Amino acid sequence: MDHRNYIGLVIIAVIIAFIPTLVKNDYYIGILVFTALNCLTALGLCLLMGYAGQISLGHAAFFGLGAYSTAILTVNLGWSPWIAMGAGACLTAVIALIIGVPALRLKGHYLAMATLGFGAIVNIVFVAAVGLTGGPSGISGIPQLNFLGIELNTDKSFFYFSWAVVILGLFLALNLIHSRVGRGLRAIHDSQEAASSLGVNTSKYKIKIFVLSAAYASVAGSLYASFINYIDPGPFDVMHSVLLVVMVAVGGMHNIWGAMIGAVLLSILPEFLSALSDYFGGIGIAYKSDYDMLIYGGILLVIMLFLPGGLYEGIQRLLQASRNLINRFKMRAFS
Amino acid sequence: MAQPILQLIDLCKNFGGVVALDHLNIQVEKSSITSIIGPNGAGKTTIFNLITGIVNRSSGKVYYNNEDISGLKPHMIAEKQIARTFQNVQVFPQMTVLENVMVGRHVKSHLGFILSSLIPPFFRIEEKRIREDAHQCLSIAGLSHLAQKKAGSLPLGNQRQLEIARALAVEPKLLLLDEPASGLNSRETYNMGKLIQKIKEMDITIVLVEHDMELVMDISDKVNVVNFGRSLASGDPSEIQANADVIAAYLGT
């Protein structure tokens, strides 16, 4: 069982290696970079939501804190982007700790409201602290990453790099899930009382996973800033937090692979739809990015109604059903 | 009298204006099965919640091996090798039976967030040991054949056994069982009684809250009767059965 997960990592690596030979268009490679960054954030959020059972509607803020840390430290102070990324993750972790200690005493809707409020405040700071963040016009001229002497200045090189980070993130998350810590977190999800009666320090564990989850988002944010070289507060608003939750929920909260599926699907879908609408443009159907939220909302609604376990569970059920069908045919063939 | 492993002294608990426990005194001897019985709402589960730190006492003390443990957090109580089960079964339904018991090994294993993230499970010596220990606890409770089943899909009887297996994984010196036979049929109740006696033989002290009088009188070394949060009587099963106050409390006068 454990090993299957790690085989999954290898499969992803192989797919990633082959994608640039199939997808030649730089624009689409760029989309796949954003997909990777969403995967990374969704992974962290899945550890928090799916495994520990604590919701966060403020993860775009952590994503933004990472991006702005990189931007400010590299552009204003001339730091190396790598050190800026580490410093950003540390800063985000400290902020998550400060927010998490009081907020994680709350449960369910109240925790959702608290994190939502936090996300909104951070976004306002990005907009209003003009001296530091450049306000609505943002920060430009963020330097590229240089990985072991290779300048990550093309979409393709950054594509490989970002997905390597995702695979690393997945590897770490899988290790964590299949450990006493991971089981402790899942126990908290199911019953805090029982978990604590078995020696799991529930409040400490919730705070730690919140901080770790924020650090995942922060690293994704730093990579985002380094990739597009320019940031403004737009992508770090509350809607993005909601979108991240939708990704995790649509894919299937209770499994890390579900979060991956959700993040990939919802990152690629708008592009797929607009490509489709170009194709059908002749008959007067055009897809605009304004419709994104409509599509996301619709998908979430359908999934929650008919497949509460998310797409991952749906795929599993489908596999099981087809296995049953094959077995039945085999039985009939023998009899 | 033998060495007490657990002493509740003048324990009081108010929920708002409601007095749940009123200067309660109970002593539990080492290596015994001590039962706590009483009518519904007498405060029996509250006693367990106070010992395990899930609710805070209003006043009074809890001594465990002559050490004051009142006011400790639940996970610290578990570290002191006190384990419990719950009246409203609280297995972890999304996890397998084996994983449930593996959670019970939490206090007996040590890797934290960072090392757990860095080392894959198949390279961790600890992980293998946790798994083996958990299998052993499952076999004591007679659940080995269900190890890979989702805990939430088990019938109630097996879920109660699972809670005990999970509690045993803590390697408790003191085990608090909250109505382990409630909802079980007579055959399952009989098996539960056998299991409890088997655990006693492992030199684990057991405190039992139970409504099934046959079971209580059958396996208990000592019985405490609680009514309206106060100790009404205590003694060996035959004494309790003959006690006029107890009969009055149960039958009403």
Side-chain angles (χ1 to χ4, degrees):
Chain A
M1 194 63 194
D2 287 358
H3 291 69
R4 263 213 317 237
N5 284 308
Y6 293 90
I7 293 168
L9 285 183
V10 177
I11 293 173
I12 291 188
V14 171
I15 293 172
I16 294 307
F18 277 103
I19 280 182
T21 60
L22 300 171
V23 183
K24 299 277 189 224
N25 186 331
D26 260 1
Y27 174 74
Y28 288 122
I29 292 290
I31 295 297
L32 290 175
V33 171
F34 292 129
T35 306
L37 302 181
N38 282 336
C39 280
L40 199 58
T41 317
L43 274 181
L45 190 57
C46 179
L47 287 177
L48 179 70
M49 274 177 62
Y51 287 87
Q54 311 299 312
I55 195 171
S56 165
L57 283 173
H59 255 54
F62 297 129
F63 184 60
L65 283 167
Y68 271 95
S69 299
T70 287
I72 292 167
L73 293 176
T74 55
V75 174
N76 296 0
L77 300 179
W79 288 23
S80 141
W82 294 108
I83 297 172
M85 187 187 295
C90 292
L91 175 75
T92 308
V94 169
I95 291 174
L97 183 71
I98 294 168
I99 298 300
V101 168
L104 288 164
R105 289 165 173 268
L106 306 172
K107 281 179 191 158
H109 299 113
Y110 299 98
L111 178 60
M113 295 303 286
T115 50
L116 185 72
F118 164 71
I121 290 168
V122 170
N123 190 249
I124 290 169
V125 171
F126 290 155
V127 177
V130 180
L132 194 64
T133 65
S137 50
I139 299 173
S140 54
I142 301 163
Q144 280 146 359
L145 281 173
N146 180 313
F147 183 66
L148 303 175
I150 305 161
E151 231 14 89
L152 300 177
N153 53 2
T154 61
D155 288 348
K156 198 171 143 186
S157 59
F158 208 96
F159 165 82
Y160 282 128
F161 178 71
S162 60
W163 278 98
V165 175
V166 171
I167 290 170
L168 177 67
L170 249 174
F171 174 73
L172 297 178
L174 283 171
N175 292 344
L176 187 68
I177 292 163
H178 297 104
S179 74
R180 74 187 272 275
V181 175
R183 283 185 295 271
L185 292 169
R186 289 167 67 197
I188 291 172
H189 182 288
D190 283 355
S191 163
Q192 283 201 41
E193 243 181 27
S196 66
S197 83
L198 298 170
V200 179
N201 188 342
T202 52
S203 45
K204 200 163 131 194
Y205 263 49
K206 285 196 284 186
I207 290 165
K208 279 188 173 178
I209 195 65
F210 188 67
V211 169
L212 181 68
S213 173
Y216 265 82
S218 172
V219 169
S222 291
L223 291 174
Y224 173 83
S226 298
F227 177 57
I228 59 168
N229 312 119
Y230 161 78
I231 55 168
D232 65 46
F236 312 116
D237 63 353
V238 168
M239 263 342 274
H240 191 67
S241 292
V242 174
L243 177 60
L244 288 166
V245 172
V246 172
M247 284 175 180
V248 175
V250 164
M253 249 183 254
H254 301 305
N255 196 291
I256 206 92
W257 296 106
M260 290 285 291
I261 293 170
V264 170
L265 186 77
L266 291 192
S267 305
I268 293 177
L269 193 67
E271 297 308 320
F272 178 73
L273 289 176
S274 55
L276 206 66
S277 87
D278 287 346
Y279 186 73
F280 288 111
I283 53 173
I285 305 168
Y287 182 82
K288 294 198 193 96
S289 60
D290 300 352
Y291 301 158
D292 284 358
M293 278 302 152
L294 192 78
I295 299 285
Y296 295 150
I299 291 176
L300 184 65
L301 198 69
V302 171
I303 291 283
M304 286 298 116
L305 276 176
F306 299 109
L307 209 63
L311 289 174
Y312 179 80
E313 196 191 281
I315 292 169
Q316 272 193 324
R317 269 200 235 161
L318 211 64
L319 286 176
Q320 189 60 45
S322 55
R323 226 172 281 151
N324 290 348
L325 207 66
I326 290 168
N327 282 346
R328 202 180 298 168
F329 273 119
K330 271 186 194 160
M331 296 267 276
R332 198 166 292 173
F334 278 115
S335 65
Chain B
M1 182 176 161
Q3 177 76 18
I5 188 168
L6 182 75
Q7 287 172 290
L8 310 181
I9 296 168
D10 270 336
L11 210 54
C12 295
K13 176 68 193 173
N14 308 321
F15 291 108
V18 180
V19 179
L21 296 181
D22 184 9
H23 298 282
L24 182 85
N25 289 288
I26 287 180
Q27 283 219 355
V28 176
E29 284 168 33
K30 220 169 229 168
S31 313
S32 71
I33 298 180
T34 302
S35 288
I36 300 175
I37 61 170
N40 282 325
K44 303 184 296 292
T45 295
T46 305
I47 297 173
F48 277 9
N49 286 343
L50 282 175
I51 297 171
T52 54
I54 286 177
V55 297
N56 280 322
R57 75 211 187 284
S58 302
S59 67
K61 293 270 183 228
V62 180
Y63 286 97
Y64 168 68
N65 282 333
N66 296 321
E67 182 191 350
D68 184 4
I69 59 160
S70 30
L72 291 186
K73 291 256 164 53
H75 67 269
M76 296 160 126
I77 299 288
E79 282 161 15
K80 303 249 177 233
Q81 296 182 294
I82 300 177
R84 70 170 293 179
T85 65
F86 294 86
Q87 182 186 354
N88 52 332
V89 185
Q90 297 205 21
V91 297
F92 307 121
Q94 312 264 14
M95 303 169 80
T96 66
V97 168
L98 181 65
E99 284 171 334
N100 262 270
V101 183
M102 286 167 85
V103 177
R105 295 303 291 167
H106 195 86
V107 290
K108 294 288 167 192
S109 45
H110 305 284
L111 286 188
F113 271 72
I114 293 172
L115 283 179
S116 296
S117 294
L118 292 176
I119 312 169
F122 34 84
F123 291 136
R124 261 183 252 137
I125 303 158
E126 183 182 89
E127 188 74 8
K128 195 172 162 233
R129 225 188 49 230
I130 291 173
R131 192 171 290 267
E132 283 165 2
D133 293 342
H135 271 299
Q136 205 180 346
C137 294
L138 274 181
S139 86
I140 293 170
L143 286 174
S144 297
H145 59 296
L146 297 172
Q148 299 306 330
K149 285 255 189 294
K150 272 259 171 73
S153 71
L154 299 186
L156 182 70
N158 287 337
Q159 291 199 9
R160 290 209 182 274
Q161 281 173 296
L162 173 56
E163 275 209 331
I164 292 179
R166 192 176 68 180
L168 286 177
V170 179
E171 283 178 29
K173 294 266 185 286
L174 177 65
L175 178 60
L176 312 174
L177 300 176
D178 199 349
E179 299 201 20
S182 127
L184 304 191
N185 63 33
S186 52
R187 186 196 169 84
E188 287 169 330
T189 303
Y190 174 79
N191 289 336
M192 182 58 76
K194 285 272 170 260
L195 177 58
I196 295 171
Q197 280 173 316
K198 190 159 133 194
I199 293 167
K200 182 197 170 186
E201 276 155 25
M202 296 162 63
D203 204 30
I204 296 171
T205 310
I206 291 167
V207 181
L208 175 70
V209 163
E210 184 50 61
H211 276 300
D212 188 314
M213 282 310 131
E214 211 182 310
L215 178 67
V216 167
M217 297 305 169
D218 220 29
I219 65 173
S220 305
D221 299 306
K222 204 171 162 207
V223 179
N224 286 277
V225 187
V226 178
N227 197 18
F228 298 114
R230 277 190 297 264
S231 325
L232 193 66
S234 82
D236 59 44
S238 57
E239 283 170 15
I240 293 299
Q241 277 168 318
N243 187 307
D245 287 342
V246 176
I247 294 166
Y250 264 88
L251 300 179
T253 45

